Amino acid sequence: MDKENREEVMINFTIPGNPASSKNSRPIFINKATGARFIGKSKLLKEYIDRGLLELNIQKRDLSYAYKFPREMDIQVTFLFYVQDKRRRDLVNLMQAPLDLLQAAEIISDDSIVKSLDGSRIYYDKLNPRTEISIIKYKEIK
């Protein structure tokens, strides 16, 4: 990889497992103490979040010697979602969970620094479902 392209690609992460939407299929629970209703997370979303946070922290630790993490600078993030079945999915809803995971793993300070989500796609891979995340420094097109 030449020097110009090396500076462009900041960091890549992979979260194994079928991507989960943070917006769909959220169950309603009742607080036993107060009787108040609240919206919880689906079992699939909880598993994705737990697995994703573990994976991002491991990968961040392994890469920390080579990369400066973009905690405050404006960035462009690309998500490639490889799903294990051909059901229709909402790309925008799929992007929220990994954005939250990047923040929880302290890779980014806040998802407000994400200025572009260009190139994000959904693909089918029955044998190896995953979420691939690429982060580069945001360059404004003039």
Side-chain angles (χ1 to χ4, degrees):
M1 184 183 303
D2 63 1
K3 183 178 179 182
E4 184 176 308
N5 287 336
R6 229 177 325 157
E7 290 174 1
E8 184 69 23
V9 175
M10 187 178 294
I11 194 159
N12 296 300
F13 294 100
T14 300
I15 301 171
N18 206 37
S21 171
S22 66
K23 306 246 180 189
N24 294 342
S25 304
R26 303 222 25 200
I28 297 175
F29 296 105
I30 298 176
N31 183 318
K32 291 178 183 176
T34 65
R37 295 174 188 256
F38 64 95
I39 298 173
K41 294 177 182 168
S42 70
K43 181 180 177 186
L44 291 174
L45 181 57
K46 284 182 193 174
E47 291 171 357
Y48 181 77
I49 289 171
D50 291 344
R51 179 178 57 251
L53 191 55
L54 177 67
E55 283 294 327
L56 288 178
N57 280 321
I58 289 169
Q59 293 172 43
K60 181 177 92 167
R61 183 195 66 215
D62 292 345
L63 293 172
S64 63
Y65 68 91
Y67 293 97
K68 177 182 184 284
F69 292 101
R71 295 222 3 102
E72 300 296 333
M73 73 176 78
D74 291 345
I75 58 173
Q76 174 182 325
V77 179
T78 301
F79 296 108
L80 300 180
F81 297 100
Y82 293 86
V83 297
Q84 66 185 8
D85 58 50
K86 294 184 178 181
R87 278 186 305 123
R88 289 180 57 146
R89 289 177 170 79
D90 185 324
L91 178 62
V92 173
N93 288 346
L94 282 174
M95 289 190 282
Q96 190 59 53
L99 278 172
D100 292 343
L101 285 169
L102 288 172
Q103 189 173 337
E106 297 182 351
I107 294 167
I108 63 174
S109 59
D110 187 83
D111 58 12
S112 67
I113 68 170
V114 178
K115 301 301 179 194
S116 172
L117 293 165
D118 294 352
S120 295
R121 304 275 190 276
I122 300 173
Y123 297 109
Y124 170 70
D125 189 340
K126 183 177 182 177
L127 301 177
N128 187 19
R130 65 198 179 276
T131 303
E132 294 180 359
I133 305 167
S134 297
I135 302 171
I136 61 173
K137 183 177 180 181
Y138 176 71
K139 292 181 183 176
E140 184 144 354
I141 299 171
K142 297 179 182 184

